[in-house]
Amino acid sequence: FNKTLSKLTRQELMSSTTEDMDDSKSDSSVSLSDDDESNNKKLKDQKENLFIEFMTYSNEYIKLRHEMHVNLARGHLNMARGSRSTMNKTPGKLRRNRNIFKKEMVPISTIIQNKSGEFELEQNTLKSKDDLDIPLVDPIEWFGAMVPKPICIAQTDFKNCINTLIEMANVKQKLDELSLKWDKLK
């Protein structure tokens, strides 16, 4: 008899508890107004658009980084090939007793940031500048009058690498901006 009573009591308690919980849910739940729902939807859409844009730039950054690594590897390989081909040759009269690291090493291009904040490559002309007494010389001429073909190819690879690095810097800057926008939305 006690067992039956206790079973009935438990069942009644459980049913009354669930009814009370259902009532409390309906009473305590806050219904969102149409404005709140539209704001949440707009916020969700903004986050989704930012995420898609961020992933697009991330993909572009990864491709550029791979391209940079390929150009660097190719440039180093071609430099080794070019140096190997001229190892047994004696230096000509143009290359003899020249220390290129003292006065001839002048940048032929510089990286600048324009007014919009993007980076770009500015080419210096291969003429002498007003503020420098040193004429600008193409670095390929440091290897003599008859430069091996692999060294010319290496120079092209390294120039491509510089252009790729500038693109990477611009994409990284956009990624940082998107990251800041994402943090502001939270």
Side-chain angles (χ1 to χ4, degrees), residues 20 36 63 84 101 108-109 122 124 131 150 157 169 175 185:
D20 290 342
D36 291 339
K63 286 179 183 178
R84 177 94 175 131
F101 297 111
I108 59 173
S109 59
E122 182 180 72
N124 296 335
D131 57 338
D157 291 333
L175 285 171
L185 285 179

Side-chain angles (χ1 to χ4, degrees), residues 87-128:
M87 254 182 171
N88 296 333
K89 297 179 183 176
T90 58
K93 67 178 181 178
L94 294 175
R95 289 175 52 194
R96 193 173 295 149
N97 297 325
R98 290 179 72 188
N99 188 353
I100 61 172
F101 297 111
K102 282 191 177 177
K103 57 182 177 181
E104 292 182 21
M105 196 173 275
V106 177
I108 59 173
S109 59
T110 54
I111 298 173
I112 61 168
Q113 194 170 14
N114 61 18
K115 292 179 182 177
S116 65
E118 291 188 355
F119 295 99
E120 54 188 33
L121 191 66
E122 182 180 72
Q123 298 288 337
N124 296 335
T125 58
L126 293 177
K127 300 173 186 171
S128 61

Side-chain angles (χ1 to χ4, degrees), residues 16 24 36 46 48 57 62 80 85 101 106 111 121 124 133 136 142-144 146 152 154 156 158 163 172 174 176:
S16 68
S24 67
D36 291 339
Q46 285 176 342
E48 185 176 321
Y57 282 122
I62 290 169
S85 68
F101 297 111
V106 177
I111 298 173
L121 191 66
N124 296 335
D133 295 334
L136 294 175
W142 298 344
F143 295 92
M146 302 220 14
C152 294
T156 304
F158 291 130
N163 292 329
K172 177 70 170 128
K174 290 175 185 173
D176 290 342

Side-chain angles (χ1 to χ4, degrees), residues 42-80:
K42 285 180 184 178
L43 181 65
K44 184 179 176 184
D45 289 342
Q46 285 176 342
K47 282 186 174 184
E48 185 176 321
N49 290 336
L50 275 175
F51 180 76
I52 291 170
E53 191 175 357
F54 187 86
M55 294 311 288
T56 303
Y57 282 122
S58 294
N59 189 35
E60 184 179 346
Y61 185 81
I62 290 169
K63 286 179 183 178
L64 288 170
R65 188 173 63 186
H66 175 72
E67 183 182 333
M68 180 201 58
H69 287 296
V70 168
N71 284 330
L72 278 175
R74 196 179 310 141
H76 286 294
L77 180 66
N78 284 319
M79 280 296 291

Side-chain angles (χ1 to χ4, degrees), residues 54 75 134 168:
F54 187 86
I134 306 164
M168 283 177 65

